């Protein structure tokens, strides 16, 4: 009888330890998931702030997309060129530069 009781007691201990480890693993998984989500949202907010347009108009965003391969100095030079060429403001110069670039792309 004592063997049977010790087997039950040993089985209970093993089950208890297994349940405890499963709870710790589940808790660890939950904590890891929460930390991961927190990190994701933090990073996305930080990247979102740097990617915001900062009040840029649609024309300026489109201009920057079309001329994205150029550095900022070159883009500003293009804007100044179109402002002088057409005697217009900054927004209009960017719109004309984008329109002309699109016409050139469609020509070929």
């Amino acid at each position: 009888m004592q063997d049977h009781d010790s087997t039950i007691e040993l089985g209970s201990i093993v089950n208890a330890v297994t349940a405890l480890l499963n709870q710790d693993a589940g808790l660890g998984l939950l904590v890891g998931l929460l930390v991961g989500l927190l990190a994701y949202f933090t990073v996305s907010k930080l990247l979102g702030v740097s990617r915001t347009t900062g009040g840029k108009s649609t024309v300026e965003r489109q201009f920057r997309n079309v001329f994205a391969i150029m550095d900022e100095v070159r883009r500003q030079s293009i804007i100044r060129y179109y402002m002088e060429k057409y005697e217009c403001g900054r927004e209009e110069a960017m719109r004309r530069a984008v329109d002309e670039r699109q016409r050139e792309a469609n020509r070929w």
Side-chain angles (χ1 to χ4, degrees), residues 35-50:
V35 168
L37 285 172
L38 179 64
Y40 170 77
F41 285 117
T42 302
V43 169
S44 68
K45 287 290 185 185
L46 290 175
L47 292 178
V49 168
S50 67

Side-chain angles (χ1 to χ4, degrees), residues 12-27:
S12 297
I13 291 173
V14 169
N15 287 339
V17 168
T18 304
L20 184 61
L21 289 176
N22 286 339
Q23 283 179 346
D24 284 346
L27 183 61

Side-chain angles (χ1 to χ4, degrees), residues 49-103:
V49 168
S50 67
R51 289 186 336 196
T52 57
T53 59
K56 293 184 177 121
S57 69
T58 304
V59 174
E60 186 169 355
R61 283 193 305 270
Q62 186 179 20
F63 176 83
R64 289 185 176 278
N65 287 337
V66 169
F67 296 98
I69 196 165
M70 298 178 183
D71 64 352
E72 187 63 25
V73 173
R74 180 71 177 129
R75 283 193 296 263
Q76 295 304 319
S77 174
I78 290 171
I79 293 170
R80 281 192 304 275
Y81 169 78
Y82 280 94
M83 286 174 71
E84 291 173 10
K85 181 178 179 179
Y86 294 105
E87 296 179 352
C88 60
R90 182 175 175 79
E91 291 279 323
E92 180 68 16
M94 287 187 283
R95 189 187 60 75
R96 288 181 180 259
V98 168
D99 289 345
E100 190 170 312
R101 178 57 65 105
Q102 288 174 346
R103 276 193 305 276

